[in-house]
Amino acid sequence: MELFLFVTFSALTVGSAAAVVWHPHPVKSALFLILSFFSMGGLYLLLQAEFIALMQVLVYAGAVMVLFLFVIMLLNLKPRGEDRAAFKVRVRWAVPLVLFFVGGVLTAVTGALARLAPAGSHGPDWVAAQGGNIRALGRLLFTRGLLPFEVTSVLLLVAVVGVMVLAKKERR
Amino acid sequence: MVPLHYYLLVSALLFAIGVTGVLVRRNAIVIFMSIELMLNAANLSFVAFSRELQDLSGQLFVFFVMVVAAAEVTVGLAIIVTLHRNWKTIHVDAIRMLKG
């Protein structure tokens, strides 16, 4: 059953990701990306990462993609779009190149996996004793990850100020 | 339990699709979506390794990656809107001011 769910979710994720790149229309690309993010949330659930699965659906499939669709709507792109013939030529040289490099990395990682051993102390029993994934993660976030968490707020502030500066019309 | 290899394979495929998207597309928004795909591929690897090593730090990392990705998307989309305002296009071949 778990394998069946895994195959379904991963096929949906990879298939719709390919459709994002392949589809000539940006709006449809964005819709396929939402589907991809959603099914990836399912993969996170299978990995028992409930908090990350929730964040995936809320932040990515929700907030980020609404932003994307909003900008596409705002720009009102003409259907002229891209040159499909040149696109197919680029696909023909890019795909083997990328597969070569990613395959190389995958081979190297698979070689190193043999030496991998569970080192952490956060097994399923520990997580259950903490009262679930979200509680365990929250406790970790406010102890071990407190400094990065606070720095995050500065990052978000910089993003907000940066966007306001960019969005302001220049006065000549 | 689905083995780690399968998740890594899915993650590698997603990353490959993302890189291909950046290489082959010329629409700035779709290039941005491909970057999101690559970030998500990295997140999937993080969570898969987090389960395999029985260490929740991997999921903590994913949380921070998501925050950075959200900030990056807002700034990047603002840049795209500004580009469109100045050039009336977001076709990256048409925007070549720095190229000379």
Side-chain angles (χ1 to χ4, degrees), chain B residues 20-37:
Chain B
T20 314
V22 171
L23 286 177
V24 302
R25 294 300 297 258
R26 287 295 180 267
N27 184 321
I29 288 185
V30 181
I31 289 177
F32 231 73
M33 291 183 200
S34 306
I35 294 173
E36 291 304 307
L37 275 179

Side-chain angles (χ1 to χ4, degrees), chain B residues 63-83:
Chain B
F63 178 78
F64 290 121
V65 170
M66 278 180 175
V67 174
V68 172
E72 173 242 335
V73 163
T74 49
V75 176
L77 286 177
I79 290 174
I80 288 176
V81 171
T82 317
L83 278 180

Side-chain angles (χ1 to χ4, degrees), chain A:
Chain A
M1 182 62 188
E2 198 192 342
L3 192 68
F4 169 73
L5 282 177
F6 171 79
V7 170
T8 313
F9 281 136
S10 50
L12 259 177
T13 308
V14 173
S16 45
V20 170
V21 173
W22 185 257
H23 214 288
H25 205 290
V27 176
K28 282 172 189 161
S29 285
L31 293 178
F32 273 119
L33 195 58
I34 294 178
L35 181 60
S36 182
F37 284 166
F38 231 94
S39 37
M40 203 179 241
L43 284 180
Y44 289 144
L45 274 184
L46 283 182
L47 283 166
Q48 280 130 35
E50 289 91 358
F51 177 70
I52 301 298
L54 274 174
M55 280 326 222
Q56 177 78 14
V57 174
L58 280 178
V59 175
Y60 267 119
V64 168
M65 290 320 292
V66 165
L67 205 63
F68 264 106
L69 286 171
F70 213 58
V71 168
I72 292 174
M73 180 204 77
L74 211 66
L75 298 189
N76 193 17
L77 301 174
K78 287 177 203 74
R80 195 196 110 244
E82 299 176 39
D83 181 359
R84 282 309 266 185
F87 169 77
K88 276 170 189 157
V89 171
R90 283 197 297 269
V91 167
R92 222 163 289 148
W93 63 256
V95 169
L97 193 74
V98 170
L99 281 183
F100 174 73
F101 281 110
V102 173
V105 171
L106 206 59
T107 325
V109 169
T110 318
L113 278 185
R115 296 194 297 278
L116 199 70
S121 53
H122 303 151
D125 299 331
W126 183 84
V127 172
Q130 295 287 310
N133 173 265
I134 296 179
R135 270 201 192 156
L137 206 58
R139 210 156 278 169
L140 213 61
L141 186 63
F142 287 109
T143 51
R144 197 194 289 177
L146 186 60
L147 182 66
F149 181 73
E150 295 294 339
V151 173
T152 292
S153 61
V154 180
L155 177 76
L156 288 176
L157 185 69
V158 170
V160 169
V161 174
V163 168
M164 283 172 72
V165 170
L166 279 172
K168 213 173 65 175
K169 275 224 162 75
E170 268 179 56
R171 298 223 176 101
R172 297 196 175 84

Side-chain angles (χ1 to χ4, degrees), chain B:
Chain B
M1 210 162 83
V2 182
L4 176 67
H5 302 77
Y6 293 12
Y7 284 103
L8 289 186
L9 186 66
V10 173
S11 166
L13 274 176
L14 273 177
F15 193 87
I17 291 171
V19 177
T20 314
V22 171
L23 286 177
V24 302
R25 294 300 297 258
R26 287 295 180 267
N27 184 321
I29 288 185
V30 181
I31 289 177
F32 231 73
M33 291 183 200
S34 306
I35 294 173
E36 291 304 307
L37 275 179
M38 284 191 272
L39 280 167
N40 271 278
N43 281 352
L44 189 60
S45 287
F46 264 129
V47 177
F49 272 111
S50 160
R51 189 201 58 177
E52 189 72 12
L53 295 174
Q54 308 214 324
D55 191 336
L56 276 184
S57 305
Q59 296 182 27
L60 218 58
F61 259 102
V62 171
F63 178 78
F64 290 121
V65 170
M66 278 180 175
V67 174
V68 172
E72 173 242 335
V73 163
T74 49
V75 176
L77 286 177
I79 290 174
I80 288 176
V81 171
T82 317
L83 278 180
H84 188 260
R85 194 189 287 152
N86 291 338
W87 270 273
K88 305 292 169 230
T89 178
I90 54 165
H91 201 71
V92 289
D93 278 344
I95 302 161
R96 44 173 62 186
M97 201 177 189
L98 285 179
K99 219 163 153 188

